[in-house]
Amino acid sequence: MKEQNYLNININNLLSNLNTINNTYHYTYYILDVSNNAYNHGMYLINYLNYENIYLYVNNFNDLLLLRKYNSTIPTIYSGNITSNNIYDLIVNNAILLIKDLNILKTLKEKTTFILNIDEYNGIYSLNTILELLDLLKTNHNLNLLGIISNVNKDNFENIKYLIKPLKDLPLICFNNEKDKQKIKYSNTIFLNNSLYGLNTYSKKNPLVLKQVLTLKAKLLKITKEYKKKKEIYIGLISLGYLNGFLKNINEVLINNKSYKVLKIEAEYTLIIIDNTLTLDDDVIITSELNPLNLYYKDNILLELFILKNLPIQYENEEQEIYSYL
């Protein structure tokens, strides 16, 4: 039975976005944020990625485990809390640890690859601490320092450049992110989240036109005919409201490639003003590449996507299978 409401994921658009960024900026490595089940696009999408120059990134242990169900070896950076209670589970699951404090490293005897987080408030921000780390690496050969990540801007660049002077020859240096895609000095890596999914990406500073990867679909379940001032009005109902997936700023939907106005969004259903050409079970496209979220949300699109997490996910390349959030 066909799902009433689901997300369709266009893998070709995902790969197109990566190619566009790669052909424009030419980084050595790309860090792709797949936290929160790949921002509710489904972790299964990692099966379509070419891993040659890609690192994945998650901010919680559950996503690391979900990712490992599909791939046990792809390099994955873990940025969540690291404690004596979870450190060995992280190592067993091949996590590259994002280190914000040296104390956890001092206790380790297992082979561990890590990246330093250079940050004034949530990381390492002292030359003495960096020199202490370099001394630690001389005595503990199980520790492998892969690189550094820092959120660089014009106000802190000179200080960070001074701090990383002993580290500037590391394989991975990530100063670039969504806001600054043009290469910063020393940086050979960029951190991406919304660009990967084609969301909220265009600006004068970064004039890339990227493709929205997800399409949110619903079925037209009920059609009601009403009369207002002797004029026939047709109202369609879908079983998708603001509590289970309909993004409240959206005021138009697409049905059979035609635009229709949203009349009312309730908790568990939405009403749409339609016409007599439509029939039950027609697909209602709430947002897609043709009706992108960028039209309705200028900021915080990714936060809005979190409410989509309970919807089934269908991959366009594998039309016979539906994958749900695990």
Side-chain angles (χ1 to χ4, degrees):
M1 180 178 176
K2 191 74 171 178
E3 295 285 346
Q4 290 181 359
N5 312 308
Y6 65 98
L7 292 173
N8 180 275
I9 304 301
N10 188 320
I11 294 299
N12 290 331
N13 282 1
L14 176 84
L15 299 179
S16 172
N17 292 340
L18 282 175
N19 287 335
T20 296
I21 295 167
N22 185 47
N23 292 334
T24 305
Y25 299 107
H26 306 287
Y27 284 94
T28 304
Y29 300 110
Y30 297 82
I31 299 175
L32 310 181
D33 192 348
V34 293
S35 303
N36 303 294
N37 197 28
Y39 291 97
N40 299 306
H41 293 70
M43 198 67 78
Y44 188 82
L45 62 74
I46 71 170
N47 290 300
Y48 297 98
L49 299 175
N50 179 349
Y51 300 143
E52 184 177 345
N53 62 343
I54 284 175
Y55 289 83
L56 301 184
Y57 178 100
V58 295
N59 61 22
N60 65 84
F61 187 62
N62 287 339
D63 275 322
L64 178 65
L65 293 181
L66 180 58
L67 185 157
R68 290 300 180 222
K69 289 185 177 183
Y70 298 119
N71 189 296
S72 61
T73 59
I74 181 171
T76 302
I77 301 165
Y78 170 83
S79 73
N81 290 332
I82 303 172
T83 68
S84 58
N85 293 326
N86 71 2
I87 181 68
Y88 298 108
D89 287 329
L90 292 169
I91 293 172
V92 166
N93 283 281
N94 297 326
I96 299 169
L97 306 180
L98 187 63
I99 295 296
K100 304 165 187 176
D101 186 297
L102 292 192
N103 289 328
I104 198 70
L105 291 179
K106 295 174 183 178
T107 67
L108 288 178
K109 297 181 181 180
E110 287 72 21
K111 287 189 177 295
T112 307
T113 298
F114 67 97
I115 291 174
L116 272 191
N117 195 53
I118 307 294
D119 187 276
E120 183 176 4
Y121 301 105
N122 189 36
I124 308 299
Y125 210 70
S126 160
L127 182 59
N128 287 336
T129 304
I130 290 174
L131 295 176
E132 181 185 356
L133 169 65
L134 295 177
D135 286 338
L136 178 63
L137 295 178
K138 293 176 183 177
T139 58
N140 188 341
H141 300 293
N142 285 326
L143 297 178
N144 174 35
L145 175 56
L146 175 64
I148 57 177
I149 291 178
S150 186
N151 187 11
V152 171
N153 57 57
K154 63 180 181 180
D155 296 323
N156 67 9
F157 179 65
E158 289 302 318
N159 194 33
I160 288 177
K161 186 169 69 172
Y162 168 75
L163 288 175
I164 67 145
K165 192 172 182 180
L167 307 174
K168 62 183 178 64
D169 294 325
L170 289 171
L172 185 154
I173 298 179
C174 182
F175 290 162
N176 288 96
N177 54 42
E178 294 292 342
K179 294 181 180 179
D180 294 296
K181 292 187 176 70
Q182 294 288 353
K183 279 190 179 180
I184 299 170
K185 188 175 181 180
Y186 303 126
S187 182
N188 64 0
T189 305
I190 187 169
F191 179 94
L192 300 173
N193 46 40
N194 40 338
S195 288
L196 174 64
Y197 308 107
L199 299 167
N200 198 25
T201 56
Y202 182 86
S203 69
K204 290 182 179 179
K205 192 172 184 180
N206 296 304
L208 287 181
V209 177
L210 300 170
K211 300 175 181 179
Q212 184 167 304
V213 172
L214 69 83
T215 296
L216 176 55
K217 291 186 177 183
K219 289 290 184 183
L220 198 58
L221 296 182
K222 185 177 180 180
I223 297 175
T224 303
K225 183 168 67 173
E226 298 181 357
Y227 290 91
K228 288 189 177 180
K229 298 181 179 179
K230 297 183 179 181
K231 181 181 178 181
E232 285 184 343
I233 295 177
Y234 291 85
I235 298 173
L237 180 144
I238 59 174
S239 63
L240 196 70
Y242 60 78
L243 290 183
N244 52 13
F246 202 107
L247 308 179
K248 290 189 287 185
N249 278 34
I250 295 178
N251 51 40
E252 291 186 359
V253 298
L254 294 177
I255 310 175
N256 297 336
N257 295 317
K258 182 179 177 181
S259 180
Y260 292 91
K261 293 286 186 182
V262 173
L263 177 63
K264 182 186 293 186
I265 306 171
E266 297 288 359
E268 295 183 357
Y269 68 89
T270 294
L271 300 179
I272 303 160
I273 299 175
I274 61 174
D275 55 43
N276 61 0
T277 65
L278 302 184
T279 60
L280 295 180
D281 285 338
D282 277 345
D283 280 328
V284 179
I285 309 299
I286 295 154
T287 180
S288 69
E289 182 183 359
L290 299 177
N291 187 29
L293 290 170
N294 291 345
L295 294 177
Y296 306 101
Y297 291 90
K298 300 304 180 186
D299 300 298
N300 298 323
I301 283 178
L302 294 178
L303 295 177
E304 295 292 339
L305 287 177
F306 292 159
I307 65 173
L308 303 177
K309 66 182 180 181
N310 294 319
L311 290 175
I313 300 170
Q314 183 181 43
Y315 290 85
E316 196 165 283
N317 304 55
E318 301 189 19
E319 294 181 357
Q320 301 305 311
E321 297 188 70
I322 298 283
Y323 299 89
S324 296
Y325 187 91
L326 300 177

